[in-house]
Amino acid sequence: MKHIVKILTLLVAITAIWICLLETSILARINTWLLPIYFIISLGCYGLLMVGVGLIQFRTCPEEAVLLQKDVLEAREFLRMRGVDVGSD
C-alpha cells in the first residue's frame, strides 16, 4: 500500500509541475504539451536499461540447476508411473 501512495504522490507532483508549466510561459507551449510523451519515453528507456543491467548481472546458480534437474527426473518418473509418455532422456 505504501508503494502505491508513493507512486500516486509522484504522479500528482509531476502533474502539478506540468500544469504550472502550461500556465506560465517558461517553456514554449508546444514543448510543454510534449512533456508527458517525453516522460513516458524516458521511463521506457529507463525500464529497458534496468532489464539490460539485470541480464548482464544475472548470476548462474549451479546448486539450483542440480536441484532443478532432480525435480525434472522425479516428475518424469512420476508421470511414467501414471502411464504418461514423457519422451526419451
Side-chain angles (χ1 to χ4, degrees):
M1 186 68 177
K2 291 180 184 179
H3 196 62
I4 292 173
V5 172
K6 287 179 187 178
I7 291 172
L8 288 176
T9 304
L10 184 64
L11 246 141
V12 168
I14 290 171
T15 304
I17 291 170
W18 183 60
I19 290 173
C20 287
L21 287 174
L22 280 174
E23 295 299 319
T24 61
S25 296
I26 296 172
L27 296 174
R29 194 150 184 89
I30 187 70
N31 292 341
T32 307
W33 278 108
L34 293 175
L35 280 176
I37 295 171
Y38 295 151
F39 179 72
I40 291 171
I41 291 171
S42 299
L43 193 61
C45 291
Y46 174 76
L48 286 174
L49 178 71
M50 288 296 106
V51 168
V53 168
L55 287 174
I56 289 171
Q57 295 178 347
F58 189 75
R59 299 174 302 159
T60 57
C61 304
E63 304 88 19
E64 295 297 324
V66 170
L67 290 174
L68 182 61
Q69 288 298 325
K70 286 181 184 177
D71 287 344
V72 169
L73 291 175
E74 286 177 18
R76 282 185 178 177
E77 206 47 50
F78 176 78
L79 291 173
R80 278 193 196 117
M81 288 190 311
R82 301 277 185 207
V84 177
D85 182 27
V86 290
S88 62
D89 293 328

